[in-house]
Amino acid sequence: MTVIAGRYRLLDVLAEGATGTVWRALDGASGHEVALKESRVPPGLPADEAPALHARRERGARALARVSHPSVVRVLDVVAEDGRPWVATELVRGLTLAETLEAGGPLPAREAARVGADVLAGLRAAREAGVPHRGVEPEDVLLGNDGRVVVTGFGDAPEEAAGPKESAGPKDGADPAAELRSLGRLLEAAADDRSGPLGAVIDALLGEGPEGPVTADRAERELRRVAGGGTRTPPGGTGAVGDGARKDRGGARAGGGAPGATPGAANAPAPHRSAGEDDAAPAPGAPPGRKHKAPRRVPVLVAGVVGALLIAGALVYHAVRDDGPGAGPGAPGGVTSTVPAGSGATGADGVPATPRS
């Protein structure tokens, strides 16, 4: 088998295009499989410009090796063989976006938005490192079996086949707006529906939205919002843009609430509940049950304490009266007499009582 740079053993071809061939290779130093890209001169390029092309690709690969982002393919090594650079990258297990679309058709809007957000995050990280992509295509996006979205193909400018532009330098095709437009075209091909909030984001990426050009930061936020089930919002405001959808709250459907709800029910004020009512509403269709009432232990306890205090007060009152002056054995029940016991006592009408014989 062919061994490149005395280290990488070529196993089989993973992909092939105008800019080169990607091999599955075994790294003899680590024992791990890698993806090894062989640089190829595009048709129509003059032979004397080939060295500049290879040198530029090598510089781009080494710059990309400094990028650490989950959505950017990880460059492991750059070696030279026969005057051409060979770039070793991580081997991502999965399919390209192009293969996925060919096999299963367009993606649902939320999945397409998730892919687009991850792609844009990778493009932004690479651009900050000085490695613009120059035009992302479905063939450049890997959908890993582990859920990762990985962007490849950095440095493979579509205009390379034209020849003279190849030696123009790293600024060629580095326009951020052009990069966003390429992402818009990718999502346009990948999504199965453009009538919802994703369509508004695609229009903005393509520069066709009513708000004018969109920034990469805002575009990524909007894509992640759509991927999470939300709706695109205008700058400084709330509510959907372009699709008339209403913002969901608590899992309610956009624009309609629960199925079968009457118009305006979603905005109706909540019914007032008294303090003793149960806050939990019965499930729809469930048989009515007894309302759970708050226990009445506090009033019972208060009544018991008050009663005990009254009884104790009455006992103390009678005890004090029994021990006071004027109490005697002649007064039944401990009640004192206010009538003199001796002679000279008067009757009820104030007349002196005459003792009877």
Side-chain angles (χ1 to χ4, degrees):
M1 288 190 176
T2 304
V3 178
I4 303 299
R7 177 174 177 176
Y8 300 102
R9 180 175 300 162
L10 303 182
L11 301 178
D12 52 46
V13 175
L14 295 175
E16 192 167 6
T19 61
T21 302
V22 181
W23 297 81
R24 183 172 65 93
L26 179 65
D27 183 356
S30 66
H32 296 156
E33 290 187 354
V34 299
L36 190 65
K37 182 170 183 179
E38 170 190 3
S39 180
R40 177 180 301 167
V41 177
L45 186 70
D48 58 347
E49 295 183 8
L53 167 63
H54 295 319
R56 177 186 145 193
R57 288 178 176 174
E58 182 177 350
R59 288 195 305 270
R62 294 190 185 279
L64 190 63
R66 298 192 296 267
V67 180
S68 178
H69 193 279
S71 292
V72 176
V73 65
R74 187 160 52 97
V75 176
L76 306 175
D77 193 12
V78 181
V79 298
E81 183 81 11
D82 298 331
R84 296 178 298 163
W86 292 67
V87 182
T89 67
E90 62 174 322
L91 182 62
V92 180
R93 309 283 183 179
L95 298 175
T96 66
L97 178 59
E99 293 169 336
T100 301
L101 297 177
E102 183 179 359
L107 303 177
R110 290 179 61 176
E111 176 64 9
R114 182 187 76 87
V115 171
D118 287 350
V119 168
L120 182 51
L123 295 177
R124 296 178 65 191
R127 173 171 290 278
E128 291 176 0
V131 189
H133 196 283
R134 305 172 183 273
V136 63
E137 302 286 343
E139 294 81 7
D140 300 324
V141 179
L142 293 174
L143 305 181
N145 296 336
D146 57 355
R148 282 179 64 198
V149 178
V150 183
V151 183
T152 67
F154 290 91
D156 297 342
E159 67 271 19
E160 283 182 347
K165 292 186 179 181
E166 188 57 33
S167 59
K171 292 184 180 180
D172 206 31
D175 180 17
E179 199 170 68
L180 293 179
R181 286 194 295 271
S182 71
L183 176 62
R185 291 190 294 270
L186 181 140
L187 290 177
E188 194 173 28
D192 62 353
D193 184 14
R194 284 195 55 184
S195 62
L198 179 59
V201 182
I202 294 176
D203 289 342
L205 289 169
L206 295 174
E208 301 172 357
E211 301 165 11
V214 65
T215 63
D217 179 68
R218 176 170 170 77
E220 184 179 345
R221 290 200 312 269
E222 297 295 350
L223 286 171
R224 296 207 183 279
R225 182 178 289 112
V226 175
T231 57
R232 183 172 181 262
T233 56
T238 58
V241 172
D243 59 351
R246 294 170 57 188
K247 186 176 181 181
D248 292 346
R249 292 190 60 185
R253 297 186 181 185
T262 58
N267 296 326
H272 176 72
R273 293 177 181 268
S274 63
E277 290 181 354
D278 188 3
D279 290 337
R290 293 184 178 180
K291 290 187 177 179
H292 178 70
K293 295 185 178 181
R296 297 183 178 179
R297 298 175 182 175
V298 174
V300 174
L301 290 176
V302 172
V305 171
V306 172
L309 291 176
L310 291 175
I311 293 174
L315 293 176
V316 172
Y317 174 79
H318 286 293
V320 170
R321 291 194 58 183
D322 290 344
D323 293 340
V335 179
T336 59
S337 173
T338 59
V339 180
S343 59
T346 59
D349 54 356
V351 180
T354 304
R356 294 183 180 185
S357 56

